[in-house]
Amino acid sequence: MNPPPQQAPQPSAPRRRPYGSVRLPAPLPVAPPTPHSGPPAVARRWYGPRVTLPLLSIAALRRDA
């Protein structure tokens, strides 16, 4: 195997921050979590009869359009 080619050291350039990044003077404070009022939400389930649906395909979508 051949050794990798030697490259000249790159001149030190100022590092660019990623697009959209902003330098903040201090870390942002995190607000304490607030307790929710009322009873906890319960997931609703449907226990009625199941209805079979037709298979969905791209051809069926194009046909109706």
Side-chain angles (χ1 to χ4, degrees):
M1 285 185 56
N2 296 337
Q6 294 293 331
Q7 293 182 346
Q10 298 292 329
S12 62
R15 297 210 122 200
R16 297 184 65 183
R17 281 181 260 130
Y19 177 77
S21 65
V22 177
R23 183 173 292 182
L24 298 174
L28 293 175
V30 178
T34 57
H36 297 289
S37 61
V42 178
R44 295 184 180 182
R45 295 176 184 259
W46 177 258
Y47 291 107
R50 294 190 176 205
V51 178
T52 57
L53 298 174
L55 294 176
L56 182 63
S57 66
I58 299 297
L61 292 174
R62 288 183 179 156
R63 188 175 349 130
D64 294 337

